[in-house]
DNA sequence: TTCATGACGGGGA
DNA sequence: ATCCCCGCCATGA
């Protein structure tokens, strides 16, 4: 991007400041940068700019306290489950 | 400008 | 309690 938005920069700075041993949720990050409701934007920033800015992206998790899957993965898993395919965590169960 | 996409979240079924 | 759907904000084609 040519000129990063203030919100983008604030988000980068905040995430970068998360200390070791602490985690925040996407929603909390959004609130802390005064942009409540843009949790999805936070995830977008992490996925697109973590490398460039050396962000501790692993310290940001979802509100359920879990590791987030990409939407495509969530959709695919849901579709397969609906068709009766059995999952063991994130991999197919080997036995019928 | 509209349209689709994304490491999300809350509220209804 | 879990699951699904839809709204949310910003971005890029």
């Amino acid at each position: 991007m040519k000129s990063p938005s203030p919100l983008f920069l604030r988000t980068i700075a905040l995430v970068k400041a998360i200390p070791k041993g602490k985690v925040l949720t996407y929603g909390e990050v959004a609130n802390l940068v005064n942009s409540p409701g843009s949790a999805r934007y936070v995830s977008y920033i992490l996925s697109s700019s973590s490398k460039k800015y050396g962000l501790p992206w692993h310290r940001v998790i979802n509100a359920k306290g879990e590791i987030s899957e990409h939407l495509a993965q969530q959709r695919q898993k849901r579709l397969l489950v609906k068709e009766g395919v059995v999952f063991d965590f994130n991999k197919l169960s080997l036995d019928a």
Side-chain angles (χ1 to χ4, degrees), chain A residues 57-74:
Chain A
W57 54 269
H58 55 291
R59 296 178 191 145
V60 182
I61 60 181
N62 66 29
K64 296 193 291 291
E66 305 170 331
I67 302 301
S68 295
E69 294 177 346
H70 291 242
L71 292 188
Q73 296 179 329
Q74 293 180 27

Side-chain angles (χ1 to χ4, degrees), chain A residues 23-85:
Chain A
V23 298
L24 291 179
T25 67
Y26 297 93
E28 288 174 333
V29 172
N31 289 327
L32 291 172
V33 293
N34 300 308
S35 183
S38 49
R40 299 194 65 167
Y41 178 46
V42 173
S43 68
Y44 167 72
I45 291 176
L46 295 191
S47 63
S48 66
S49 315
S50 283
K51 177 130 187 172
K52 180 175 179 184
Y53 293 86
L55 305 179
W57 54 269
H58 55 291
R59 296 178 191 145
V60 182
I61 60 181
N62 66 29
K64 296 193 291 291
E66 305 170 331
I67 302 301
S68 295
E69 294 177 346
H70 291 242
L71 292 188
Q73 296 179 329
Q74 293 180 27
R75 277 201 301 275
Q76 180 171 16
K77 181 187 281 188
R78 211 168 64 226
L79 289 171
L80 289 175
V81 168
K82 238 166 41 172
E83 294 177 6
V85 178

